[in-house]
Amino acid sequence: MKKFFIMAAFAALTLASCNNEAKKVDATAAPEAAGNASQKIAYVEIDSIMTQYTMCVNAKAELEKKGKNIQTTLANKQQSLENAAAKFQQDVQSNKYTQQQAQNVQAGLQKQGQDLQALQQRLSAEFAEEEQKFNEALTDTIHHFIERYNKQKGYAFIFSKSGDNILYAGQAYNITDEVIKGLNKEYKPAK
């Protein structure tokens, strides 16, 4: 989707650019340029899709829940490790261990710390992969819907508007609501 948006933005900038070579166009090219000016264009507000498309709303809620579960799991394990380390320090100060026992307990605590770091890395990687899969699925869904939608509408360009990447766009060219309605109509949540 990012490629699509970048290509669309590049096309928009290319069409809008005013370089010196554009002034040297000969008269035979004028009819073609006039034909392109009458082509239909539209834009879709990506922020609205992200907040109103049911697939996005559901996935965002699910990802937030998983993210909180990961944070809770890691925080609990970190707290347990800190508690064990504090108890170990108290026991060492109380001379409850021989030197060999203290070294064994300390090695065990270090191993638990390494295991916790490995778990954090693994869970973070899994979460990032899941986010990436969602983003790819979202991109594919929107792209395929726009292709089908445009077969009926016949736009030459459909741009994405996110933030201020388009400096001005008349409301008459905004097809966001139609796209969101169509996406939501086609969306079938997984059971």
Side-chain angles (χ1 to χ4, degrees):
M1 178 124 157
K2 287 182 182 179
K3 287 181 186 177
F4 175 74
F5 294 146
I6 291 170
M7 288 173 34
F10 179 75
L13 290 173
T14 303
L15 290 174
S17 69
C18 297
N19 60 25
N20 291 334
E21 292 178 22
K23 295 177 184 175
K24 297 179 184 176
V25 175
D26 63 37
T28 59
E32 185 178 303
N36 288 341
S38 67
Q39 291 182 341
K40 291 171 43 175
I41 61 169
Y43 70 93
V44 176
E45 294 174 342
I46 298 303
D47 297 343
S48 295
I49 288 178
M50 299 304 282
T51 59
Q52 297 174 29
Y53 179 25
T54 306
M55 177 183 173
C56 289
V57 173
N58 291 350
K60 181 180 176 185
E62 186 177 321
L63 287 171
E64 283 178 3
K65 182 179 174 184
K66 286 183 181 185
K68 286 179 183 178
N69 286 342
I70 289 170
Q71 288 176 341
T72 301
T73 298
L74 292 174
N76 288 341
K77 290 187 179 293
Q78 180 68 36
Q79 187 61 48
S80 294
L81 180 60
E82 288 173 5
N83 291 343
K87 183 177 182 329
F88 170 69
Q89 287 298 326
Q90 289 175 349
D91 290 347
V92 166
Q93 290 174 354
S94 305
N95 292 324
K96 290 188 175 182
Y97 297 118
T98 65
Q99 185 175 3
Q100 183 62 39
Q101 290 172 326
Q103 287 175 349
N104 290 343
V105 171
Q106 186 174 18
L109 290 172
Q110 287 176 342
K111 172 81 167 90
Q112 287 179 5
Q114 292 169 349
D115 290 347
L116 180 59
Q117 284 180 333
L119 177 64
Q120 181 179 8
Q121 290 173 350
R122 182 178 60 83
L123 292 176
S124 295
E126 288 173 1
F127 187 76
E129 183 180 333
E130 191 167 339
E131 279 184 315
Q132 181 181 353
K133 284 180 182 178
F134 163 71
N135 287 332
E136 289 171 1
L138 176 64
T139 299
D140 288 346
T141 301
I142 293 172
H143 183 74
H144 288 98
F145 176 80
I146 293 288
E147 285 177 356
R148 290 189 310 278
Y149 172 86
N150 199 43
K151 285 180 183 176
Q152 296 174 355
K153 300 294 182 174
Y155 291 105
F157 292 98
I158 298 177
F159 296 100
S160 67
K161 183 176 188 291
S162 177
D164 62 353
N165 67 338
I166 295 178
L167 298 178
Y168 175 78
Q171 191 60 31
Y173 301 103
N174 187 348
I175 60 170
T176 305
D177 289 340
E178 289 179 50
V179 170
I180 291 171
K181 285 177 188 172
L183 285 167
N184 282 331
K185 184 178 179 181
E186 290 184 1
Y187 176 62
K188 306 282 189 272
K191 294 180 180 179

